[in-house]
Amino acid sequence: MSRPASIPALQHRAEQLAGLSLSELAHQLGIPVPPHLRRDKGWVGQLLELALGASAGSKPEQDFPELGVELKTIPVDGRGKPLETTFVSVAPLTDIGGLRWEDSNVRNKLSRVLWIPVLGERSLAPGDRIIGQPLLWTPSAQEEQLLRQDWEEIMELISLGQIQDITARHGQVLQLRPKAANNRALTEAVGRHGQPIMTLPRGFYLKTGFTAALLTRHFML
DNA sequence: GATTGATCATTT
DNA sequence: AAATGATCAATC
């Protein structure tokens, strides 16, 4: 797939995909369809990246850097309600003194997101799930304020060496949870007394209530 | 190990 | 039923 040259071109391409099942799209692209996602958790996201011409692979950048757009697929039920939280980015755990919201990975990734809802419960085979209407989103002032509050609160705890006390319950719209291959994956962080410790890598995730509201806001317009 | 893509599976 | 904590694959 070639890369879309503009945001309208990207939106148009995404709109053409709405209504297709994932197996239809996969067949067009010559991609095999897994029987379930247990061992292919990123399959849906990678399929849509391919279909829309996103930069492939594991680059630490937006999916469409020249357009300033991040692509995210989000599983939703029949009523358009998100079935999962949405991963945003890995949380920095060291050298975070002076890091400001304005310069954070979270803000930068979420500044402009092309959301592709994918309709289908967990029990529905991946190939039978249906691509929904895309939505290009930029946080409202209120949404950004909520994100900022949670981010600042969580980052303060990390900087204070209290990462081991942070649970997914912190934050109204943004939460910090493990983001790792397994429970043996460790990375460096700061302990309660300022000493280096090894801990599970963490990531920022958007809670489903937040993504549900943002989807609703747009589909009501 | 860290980054990309996320969902699974158990607990609440 | 929903949310939290744990995990899977590919790539560099």
Side-chain angles (χ1 to χ4, degrees), chain A residues 72-77 79-88 110 113-118 133 135 137 139 143 146-147 150 172-175 177 204-220:
Chain A
K72 293 233 165 275
T73 60
I74 183 165
V76 298
D77 69 12
R79 297 176 349 210
K81 187 181 175 191
L83 297 168
E84 293 286 348
T85 54
T86 302
F87 172 70
V88 179
L110 296 182
V113 179
L114 181 65
W115 295 97
I116 312 279
V118 175
Q133 199 64 36
L135 127 67
W137 170 81
E143 286 166 338
L146 288 168
L147 292 166
D150 286 346
Q172 295 298 298
V173 300
L174 193 66
Q175 62 184 178
R177 305 217 309 274
F204 284 108
Y205 295 79
L206 296 176
K207 301 182 77 168
T208 54
F210 182 79
T211 47
L214 117 218
L215 292 175
T216 300
R217 172 158 77 79
H218 278 255
F219 290 127
M220 296 272 294

Side-chain angles (χ1 to χ4, degrees), chain A residues 12-63:
Chain A
H12 180 72
R13 193 180 287 188
E15 284 162 8
Q16 301 305 303
L17 300 177
L20 281 181
S21 70
L22 295 184
S23 63
E24 289 172 326
L25 180 58
H27 288 146
Q28 286 180 17
L29 298 172
I31 302 295
V33 180
H36 51 68
L37 301 181
R38 188 169 29 136
R39 312 204 65 166
D40 285 278
K41 296 181 179 180
W43 184 76
V44 178
Q46 287 155 1
L47 182 66
L48 270 297
E49 280 187 347
L50 233 190
L52 293 174
S55 348
S58 57
K59 296 172 188 165
E61 286 299 323
Q62 287 167 312
D63 297 294

Side-chain angles (χ1 to χ4, degrees), chain A residues 80-155:
Chain A
K81 187 181 175 191
L83 297 168
E84 293 286 348
T85 54
T86 302
F87 172 70
V88 179
S89 66
V90 171
L93 303 182
T94 59
D95 300 317
I96 54 181
L99 184 56
R100 298 180 312 152
W101 163 250
E102 286 76 9
D103 306 313
S104 70
N105 293 160
V106 173
R107 179 173 186 264
N108 283 277
K109 285 222 176 176
L110 296 182
S111 62
R112 210 190 264 126
V113 179
L114 181 65
W115 295 97
I116 312 279
V118 175
L119 204 69
E121 306 279 346
R122 203 177 273 194
S123 58
L124 190 65
D128 294 334
R129 299 180 193 179
I130 306 297
I131 300 170
Q133 199 64 36
L135 127 67
L136 186 66
W137 170 81
T138 289
S140 67
Q142 184 180 58
E143 286 166 338
E144 175 155 353
Q145 182 56 26
L146 288 168
L147 292 166
R148 177 180 191 143
Q149 277 177 14
D150 286 346
W151 182 88
E152 289 180 342
E153 175 187 331
I154 291 167
M155 290 305 294

